[in-house]
Amino acid sequence: MPIENIDRELKKIYELNTAKKFVLPNFQRSFVWKSKAQKELIASFIVHLPIGSLLVLEGQQGDFSARALCFPDKIQPAEDCNYVLDGQQRLSTLRTVFYDLFQENDDWLATWNKLYSSLRARWFIRVKPDKSELDPFGFRRLHFETLVKYDQGQLVDFIEERKIFKTKTNFFCHPGYKPVDNDGNKLTGNKARLHIARKFAESNIVPLYELHKGQSGIHHKTLDQIASKRLDDLKAEVNDTVDYIVKYNALLGEVEDDIEELVKNDDTNAIDQAWIELKVRWVRSVSEYLEGITSRKIPIILLPSSEISRAVAIFEAINKGGTPLSVYDLVVAKAAKNSEIDNLSNRICKKLRDKIDIPDHLNSKFTSSSLSNRWSCENMQVIDNNEPARFVQDWYLNILSLIVYLKEKDSSANTSDSIYRVEYIKRERILELSSEEINQYTDRAVASLVRAFAFVHFRCGVMKVNSVPYRLMVLVIAYFLDDENNWNDKIIIDQLEHWYWCSLFGGGYHYRQNETCIEDVENLSIFFEKGENKFQKRAADVLNIVGYANKDMLLRKNEEVEGASVREGILQYILSKSPVDFLNDDKKITTWGVTDGKLDVEVHHLIPLADATTIDSSSSKIRKDKSHILNSALNLTYISKNANRKIRDKGPVDYFDYIDSMSTIGHCVPSVDKLKNDYGEDYYESFLTDRFEFISRELRQELDDLIN
């Protein structure tokens, strides 16, 4: 029997799984995906992006020990069954999202105990956008079209997880939640479901776990509640608008062709009916789109049982055809052709754990304060469950490819074109690496990464490698620190740091990151060899890029807020200066002190959020409001947990008296005296403006010092 390419509706796959006809062979690894990977898959699936083919083997009961999706326990499959060879993570994720395992029997706790821990959750979509967000669900006008026009990245922030903990049964998202009325009487049946739907609606989240139930699912009741509240708000907005006919037409024109005439004639009944129709259409269109998700067909490559020996080759063929399987897994499999050497992942992890010598010029503070200048990157969270962390895998593949193609192969032979090409960090070229090349250059590739991690750790204030603001910048650093001479050259290390800060704060990686990465490799080569600095424009633009990072944005002068890269970058820049802690003991906050476990740090608001609370607000509410000026990166710095406990109840006027003046300088905290004398309504902006100027001045001076 030949290999078949078929497809199955998602709901049909889960029916087969329930009937034990679609199972996992027990040689499969456990479920390992964390929330982030699950969320990204859900977003892709909801907007109808491809999520890859499943690889399924036709079989019989007894061919393999088996288990069901989502559970580690062994089961007895049906006599004729299919074994899922590739697709467990995807299928298990979607299984828990769209079909509530906790409701399959009355004992939610028994299900909870059996599930993989990372699947103990319920998933929701948030339909109400924040002020600066897109409106994919048409909440603002109660007009939904489709999600197909969006991509995964645009929807991912609207996917929300609610973890299910064993003891928190008073949480309304919990399967063990027992609602009661205002008199404390237990609610059951439809009354209980309506109560829970109202709770969901208050948070503007719609549950996904009953989509397969259609209109009887709790999502339908929730959408109805959300729409009712939004309808009231829209009516109020119309009444508050001077040109209300235009507003009526914008909102109800697609529902009622003659809405202008109805408004002019004050036909209240017809207008009310149009409002109701607007609500009904929105609820129906969103519900129908979401409910249709479970009917989406999943492509399947179906192997006859005789084809099991060719499964790895088929993995690779699928990957080259564009299915998003793990390139790293394929490279590991290819490297294993040499049976005389250890597993590739084990070799990489060993190199990541090894200690290396840190040159004095990388950070003299580290070497002068330590018994030894030997250091390991292991505490920077580079290893996850005895495997290289996912982002480390990606870096490894990219730097391995660059070393092979740019440094070891004569790429420039017989051509006048630049040898620096984006294709070298693309999956297709990585998969072309031979097993010999992989095994020969792996140690060198990992060594270059370890040096890059050391560089961002000691020079750039990075405590964990996954907090580097732009991942591809690590690749650039590793490419040059592969060279022993560069690693031991203070001038090059300084120039590299100059490039890092002006690229981060000058918007170099805000767009076209792949192309910028390769261009920077070429331009840094010129900088190091010829002294020609092609990064002067970035240096001139630091913290002055409209739409990315500038004074107005950081001071919340417009609706934009700085991105996570800028926010993290400012915190790390201050930390890279090894500032004195906010205590009178002269102890400095250092990245290596944190990763070695000698110091716990927390992000501290210089002006406490409690200072901005009013009767109708709270610190937690302000913390969630990204547009609030006190949530600007300008109001943040790292201090020790101990220091934070001592000053958290003090206002800035008091605690700035308490801390040492050296602390304020190290943290770029300005105008302390001004703050004490002018503690009024405008002091937030005044204080943070001064800090912006302080940080900008320090940064520009450092950029000059690094290359002069």
Side-chain angles (χ1 to χ4, degrees):
M1 177 181 173
I3 297 172
E4 289 186 80
N5 289 288
I6 62 174
D7 55 43
R8 290 279 187 275
E9 289 186 352
L10 184 68
K11 60 185 178 183
K12 180 62 177 177
I13 290 174
Y14 293 136
E15 288 173 6
L16 292 171
N17 177 247
T18 301
K20 299 181 181 180
K21 294 182 178 182
F22 206 87
V23 298
L24 298 170
N26 240 347
F27 59 74
Q28 281 258 32
R29 62 178 178 170
S30 300
F31 184 84
V32 297
W33 274 15
K34 295 183 179 178
S35 294
K36 183 176 183 293
Q38 294 181 55
K39 181 183 287 190
E40 290 173 348
L41 173 73
I42 298 164
S44 295
F45 196 75
I46 287 178
V47 298
H48 284 245
L49 290 177
I51 63 165
S53 300
L54 307 178
L55 186 62
V56 175
L57 176 70
E58 283 191 325
Q60 299 285 322
Q61 182 189 96
D63 285 346
F64 303 103
S65 174
R67 64 179 192 271
L69 295 169
C70 309
F71 298 96
D73 293 346
K74 181 180 175 181
I75 64 167
Q76 179 83 336
E79 189 163 333
D80 293 319
C81 59
N82 290 334
Y83 294 95
V84 181
L85 299 181
D86 182 65
Q88 176 199 178
Q89 311 298 321
R90 288 167 284 161
L91 284 177
S92 295
T93 296
L94 297 178
R95 177 82 167 91
T96 56
V97 173
F98 299 120
Y99 294 84
D100 191 11
L101 295 170
F102 297 112
Q103 290 186 342
E104 290 192 349
N105 57 61
D106 293 332
D107 191 353
W108 69 264
L109 184 57
T111 300
W112 189 94
N113 284 324
K114 293 176 183 177
L115 270 173
Y116 286 111
S117 59
S118 54
L119 291 174
R120 292 168 179 163
R122 280 174 162 173
W123 289 90
F124 300 79
I125 53 169
R126 173 174 56 86
V127 296
K128 181 181 179 181
D130 291 336
K131 183 168 60 175
S132 59
E133 286 184 312
L134 295 170
D135 186 19
F137 295 95
F139 172 85
R140 293 188 179 110
R141 293 175 49 236
L142 288 183
H143 180 74
F144 175 76
E145 294 179 353
T146 182
L147 297 179
V148 174
K149 62 183 179 181
Y150 295 96
D151 61 37
Q152 170 240 33
Q154 293 172 308
L155 196 73
V156 71
D157 287 340
F158 291 88
I159 308 298
E160 297 195 0
E161 178 189 33
R162 297 293 188 271
K163 290 286 188 185
I164 303 300
F165 297 99
K166 182 182 288 189
T167 58
K168 296 185 178 181
T169 55
N170 60 340
F171 181 40
F172 60 85
C173 294
H174 198 287
Y177 177 65
K178 304 295 184 185
V180 295
D181 62 19
N182 293 333
D183 297 324
N185 300 313
K186 182 179 177 181
L187 297 175
T188 59
N190 285 331
K191 289 184 178 181
R193 288 172 63 78
L194 183 59
H195 170 92
I196 294 171
R198 285 174 178 156
K199 290 287 189 181
F200 292 154
E202 288 171 6
S203 299
N204 293 297
I205 56 174
V206 179
L208 297 175
Y209 56 81
E210 287 191 2
L211 296 182
H212 61 287
K213 293 185 177 181
Q215 289 195 7
S216 63
I218 198 168
H219 60 280
H220 204 277
K221 291 182 173 63
T222 304
L223 284 166
D224 188 75
Q225 293 288 326
I226 291 172
S228 295
K229 175 62 170 64
R230 182 57 183 156
L231 201 66
D232 291 340
D233 293 341
L234 288 175
K235 290 178 181 179
E237 288 178 19
V238 171
N239 292 333
D240 291 340
T241 302
V242 175
D243 197 353
Y244 62 92
I245 292 181
V246 173
K247 189 74 171 179
Y248 265 117
N249 194 53
L251 291 170
L252 300 177
E254 295 183 25
V255 174
E256 173 57 65
D257 293 337
D258 298 325
I259 191 63
E260 290 188 30
E261 287 299 317
L262 295 176
V263 173
K264 290 176 182 178
N265 296 329
D266 196 24
D267 190 340
T268 306
N269 290 334
I271 294 172
D272 287 344
Q273 190 59 42
W275 282 118
I276 293 171
E277 179 63 20
L278 179 70
K279 168 191 165 180
V280 169
R281 284 193 185 190
W282 184 77
V283 172
R284 182 173 61 239
S285 57
V286 176
S287 295
E288 288 177 352
Y289 183 92
L290 294 176
E291 290 160 9
I293 291 172
T294 60
S295 296
R296 183 176 163 189
K297 292 186 175 181
I298 308 296
I300 297 175
I301 298 173
L302 188 63
L303 306 175
S305 57
S306 60
E307 292 291 327
I308 184 62
S309 62
R310 298 209 304 158
V312 172
I314 292 169
F315 278 153
E316 186 164 358
I318 293 171
N319 194 71
K320 286 184 175 179
T323 303
L325 300 176
S326 169
V327 180
Y328 178 77
D329 286 343
L330 296 173
V331 168
V332 170
K334 189 177 285 188
K337 288 183 179 179
N338 186 340
S339 59
E340 297 180 359
I341 58 177
D342 196 7
N343 170 273
L344 185 66
S345 286
N346 291 342
R347 290 161 53 198
I348 293 174
C349 287
K350 182 180 183 303
K351 291 288 289 185
L352 292 171
R353 292 187 177 102
D354 286 346
K355 289 190 173 184
I356 64 168
D357 291 322
I358 300 298
D360 289 352
H361 59 261
L362 194 68
N363 196 317
S364 58
K365 299 171 190 173
F366 171 73
T367 55
S368 63
S369 63
S370 306
L371 296 175
S372 167
N373 63 343
R374 291 182 63 74
W375 171 87
S376 168
C377 67
E378 183 175 5
N379 291 333
M380 293 182 74
Q381 297 187 6
V382 294
I383 297 172
D384 184 11
N385 289 328
N386 292 316
E387 290 275 329
R390 181 60 182 270
F391 36 86
V392 176
Q393 294 177 11
D394 293 340
W395 282 323
Y396 158 75
L397 295 172
N398 286 332
I399 193 61
L400 177 70
S401 183
L402 289 183
I403 287 174
V404 172
Y405 290 119
L406 285 181
K407 295 191 174 185
E408 296 305 320
K409 292 187 174 181
D410 190 9
S411 302
S412 60
N414 301 318
T415 180
S416 59
D417 296 334
S418 170
I419 65 172
Y420 301 98
R421 302 189 185 104
V422 174
E423 66 182 87
Y424 294 144
I425 57 174
K426 298 292 186 182
R427 58 192 294 128
E428 291 79 10
R429 294 308 297 271
I430 294 170
L431 289 172
E432 290 175 5
L433 294 170
S434 68
S435 59
E436 291 78 13
E437 288 168 335
I438 294 167
N439 288 319
Q440 180 178 353
Y441 294 110
T442 282
D443 284 357
R444 179 174 161 184
V446 179
S448 71
L449 281 178
V450 171
R451 288 174 176 173
F453 298 156
F455 175 88
V456 297
H457 186 64
F458 289 104
R459 285 286 185 121
C460 307
V462 174
M463 292 181 283
K464 299 180 290 186
V465 290
N466 67 338
S467 65
V468 175
Y470 289 106
R471 301 275 172 89
L472 285 178
M473 294 179 78
V474 169
L475 183 58
V476 177
I477 298 165
Y479 179 83
F480 289 103
L481 297 188
D482 168 57
D483 188 322
E484 184 84 16
N485 292 326
N486 291 343
W487 173 242
N488 291 307
D489 189 327
K490 181 181 184 304
I491 293 176
I492 286 182
I493 293 294
D494 287 348
Q495 290 173 330
L496 202 55
E497 186 180 353
H498 172 90
W499 160 84
Y500 181 89
W501 292 123
C502 71
S503 296
L504 173 56
F505 293 122
Y509 282 75
H510 190 35
Y511 301 107
R512 299 175 58 250
Q513 292 181 35
N514 287 347
E515 292 82 357
T516 300
C517 168
I518 298 303
E519 289 170 4
D520 282 2
V521 168
E522 182 170 14
N523 289 332
L524 278 169
S525 297
I526 296 171
F527 191 19
F528 297 157
E529 294 169 11
K530 301 179 181 178
E532 183 182 347
N533 184 1
K534 296 196 174 186
F535 306 105
Q536 293 174 335
K537 177 67 166 58
R538 291 183 195 171
D541 288 341
V542 292
L543 296 180
N544 193 29
I545 304 290
V546 175
Y548 175 66
N550 64 5
K551 185 175 180 179
D552 284 350
M553 178 183 288
L554 289 162
L555 291 173
R556 303 300 190 260
K557 294 286 191 180
N558 49 43
E559 294 184 354
E560 296 179 302
V561 300
E562 73 275 8
S565 57
V566 175
R567 184 186 182 91
E568 195 72 42
I570 289 176
L571 281 166
Q572 291 172 353
Y573 174 69
I574 301 299
L575 186 57
S576 73
K577 301 161 73 67
S578 299
V580 176
D581 193 15
F582 274 16
L583 289 172
N584 294 319
D585 55 10
D586 294 328
K587 288 184 179 178
K588 292 192 172 184
I589 303 175
T590 63
T591 51
W592 58 93
V594 174
T595 55
D596 284 350
K598 297 175 183 175
L599 183 68
D600 285 334
V601 296
E602 295 179 335
V603 175
H604 171 67
H605 287 78
L606 296 169
I607 302 172
L609 301 185
D611 283 14
T613 58
T614 60
I615 293 175
D616 61 346
S617 70
S618 64
S619 295
S620 60
K621 186 175 181 180
I622 294 173
R623 193 179 298 276
K624 294 176 182 178
D625 182 6
K626 296 178 182 178
S627 64
H628 198 288
I629 191 171
L630 294 191
N631 284 320
S632 166
L634 295 176
N635 195 37
L636 306 177
T637 195
Y638 282 118
I639 64 174
S640 72
K641 184 180 289 186
N642 187 29
N644 211 11
R645 295 296 178 271
K646 289 191 175 183
I647 67 175
R648 65 183 175 185
D649 295 328
K650 300 176 184 288
V653 173
D654 295 325
Y655 84 68
F656 278 131
D657 269 338
Y658 178 75
I659 64 178
D660 190 273
S661 61
M662 289 301 296
S663 296
T664 60
I665 294 171
H667 290 269
C668 294
V669 177
S671 307
V672 174
D673 290 335
K674 177 180 178 181
L675 177 64
K676 294 174 186 174
N677 296 328
D678 187 23
Y679 194 72
E681 292 182 2
D682 298 330
Y683 90 93
Y684 298 162
E685 182 177 332
S686 176
F687 177 75
L688 296 180
T689 297
D690 286 350
R691 191 169 192 238
F692 175 84
E693 300 297 345
F694 197 148
I695 292 172
S696 297
R697 186 169 60 250
E698 288 278 307
L699 179 57
R700 291 175 188 278
Q701 183 62 55
E702 184 164 354
L703 290 175
D704 287 342
D705 292 344
L706 286 167
I707 58 174
N708 292 319

